[in-house]
Amino acid sequence: MKSILIIFIALISITASSQVVELCNGVNEEDVVNGTYFKDINDTFTPFLGVWQYTNGNEIITFKIEKVTHFYNAETQMYEDFLIGNYSYSQDGGSSYTINTITPTLLDETPEGNPMYSSCVLYPDQKLDMTFYDVLLDKGFGVILFEFLPGSTTQMQTTLSNEKGAYGYFVGEPEPNFNFSIPTSFVVTKL
């Protein structure tokens, strides 16, 4: 009976450890079993977490980047860690906001519930690409790149751009808007 219990525990340990996969390692969802956990094992998200701000006179842009851990995706039947982000933009020194998705209360941990999302840091400790949904313009094909300034852990160059590639639209609908409601290039500082 003791040997059966030891074998059972060993099998569970092997199965559990084989289902945890490091993010961005080239393994695709098709290559793993249901229940696999794509985990930020090496804490590649950590340097980007927190509140980041750009100030230029009365203009203030604030980003809040947070890590979601062990999120269950019902569609893929897998668990994953990822980053979500929210932002605010003020043109009068913070008295009012043109847009503000940063809330002090309940956090929506779904990728769709936040204007910024990333499942991977392609260049650990240096660059982070996130999808960017411009809430004010109702535009969802933006990309925001955060890149640490050389030798800094508290300042990042931030660049907003449209996704690369062709954009189609249906006849009779307006053409895609390639503009953004916030500036597209600036340096943010960690608060």
Side-chain angles (χ1 to χ4, degrees), residues 38-174:
F38 286 90
K39 183 176 177 153
D40 182 22
I41 295 170
N42 296 318
D43 293 321
T44 56
F45 289 151
T46 302
F48 300 96
L49 300 178
V51 178
W52 300 84
Q53 191 169 79
Y54 161 76
T55 304
N56 181 19
N58 284 334
E59 188 174 48
I60 301 171
I61 303 173
T62 305
F63 297 98
K64 185 175 184 182
I65 301 174
E66 299 174 89
K67 180 178 176 179
V68 176
T69 59
H70 209 258
F71 179 83
Y72 181 70
N73 184 328
E75 185 178 321
T76 63
Q77 298 180 1
M78 296 180 197
Y79 297 89
E80 59 185 321
D81 293 348
F82 53 83
L83 293 177
I84 55 173
N86 285 279
Y87 70 105
S88 66
Y89 180 50
S90 174
Q91 295 177 313
D92 62 6
S95 296
S96 65
Y97 291 92
T98 305
I99 184 68
N100 186 2
T101 66
I102 300 172
T103 60
T105 57
L106 189 62
L107 174 69
D108 184 342
E109 292 187 338
T110 64
E112 307 83 34
N114 297 276
M116 296 164 34
Y117 166 81
S118 180
S119 62
C120 186
V121 175
L122 297 177
Y123 307 98
D125 303 328
Q126 296 173 5
K127 295 181 186 180
L128 170 67
D129 271 331
M130 298 184 85
T131 59
F132 182 82
Y133 175 73
D134 192 317
V135 175
L136 196 61
L137 297 178
D138 190 23
K139 171 186 162 180
F141 54 91
V143 176
I144 190 161
L145 172 67
F146 294 96
E147 182 176 2
F148 280 101
L149 297 181
S152 179
T153 59
T154 59
Q155 287 192 308
M156 294 188 288
Q157 175 64 46
T158 305
T159 309
L160 193 55
S161 61
N162 293 294
E163 287 182 2
K164 304 290 186 244
Y167 297 97
Y169 59 95
F170 295 106
V171 174
E173 290 188 5

